[in-house]
Amino acid sequence: MDEIETIIMTDPEGSRATVLASQGDERLRLRALGEVGDPADFGLITAALGDPALRCAALEALAGQPDADGADALARSYLDDPTPDVRSRAAGLVAFHGRPNAVEALLPLTRDPVAHVRMKLAWDLGALGGPAVEAALHRLLDDPDEMVRKSAARGLTRKVRHLPHADIRAGH
């Protein structure tokens, strides 16, 4: 991955061809395509979502795609995936894009049966802010898992980014 990252930084124009031609770990290739951020790769990345072994890497790659609405819609469709890591990465992508109703889409995960998902979610929610997020994070301060409680406390102290959607800032 270091070699590909170097190519992306030094030759942005030629980096996509290099990444597409690279052999080896498909997860690394997907992540590299996410770094390149070329909209022509949206279909290639979304096709990888069909493979459970590549799903997490594909969700990460979607963060670099310019079609934030499309990436957000796809991520939301994986919030109830049977694999905890997939749910966690999908939640991170939904929070990252901060589209309308992101908070409402993420709040059910505060009751996820896997502590790691709740822990990561607490951090992600902290970036969104708003009354609904604050209330959810306060509830997570009483979570049975210590790491979830710590993450909720850190989420409450995160600097809330400026989001263009008033409904997210208001927690609607």
Side-chain angles (χ1 to χ4, degrees):
M1 186 69 171
D2 290 338
E3 178 184 317
I4 292 173
E5 287 174 338
T6 302
I7 293 169
I8 292 168
M9 291 183 344
T10 58
D11 182 15
E13 295 294 320
S15 62
R16 180 174 183 265
T18 302
V19 170
L20 289 172
S22 68
Q23 300 295 313
D25 190 338
E26 183 66 12
R27 291 170 299 186
L28 290 178
R29 193 166 81 96
L30 283 167
R31 288 184 180 114
L33 285 175
E35 292 285 325
V36 171
D38 190 317
D41 298 323
F42 191 83
L44 184 82
I45 294 168
T46 59
L49 289 168
D51 183 343
L54 299 176
R55 200 165 285 149
C56 287
L59 285 166
E60 289 173 12
L62 284 172
Q65 284 291 296
D67 181 1
D69 289 333
D72 178 71
L74 283 167
R76 289 178 191 225
S77 72
Y78 288 97
L79 290 173
D80 62 354
D81 192 87
T83 306
D85 284 341
V86 171
R87 290 193 305 274
S88 183
R89 283 187 176 81
L93 187 56
V94 170
F96 174 75
H97 286 299
R99 291 300 196 240
N101 302 313
V103 172
E104 288 77 6
L106 296 173
L107 287 179
L109 290 175
T110 62
R111 296 179 302 278
D112 195 277
V114 177
H116 175 77
V117 174
R118 296 189 312 275
M119 180 187 76
K120 175 80 171 64
L121 177 70
W123 177 252
D124 292 335
L125 283 173
L128 295 175
V133 166
E134 189 172 328
L137 291 174
H138 278 286
R139 284 190 304 275
L140 287 174
L141 290 173
D142 294 325
D143 193 273
D145 187 273
E146 178 184 7
M147 295 306 293
V148 174
R149 293 190 304 268
K150 286 181 178 181
S151 189
R154 285 192 296 270
L156 283 166
T157 64
R158 275 188 87 175
K159 182 177 180 177
V160 178
R161 63 184 173 180
H162 175 72
L163 295 172
H165 307 292
D167 61 335
I168 292 173
R169 285 194 308 274
H172 298 288

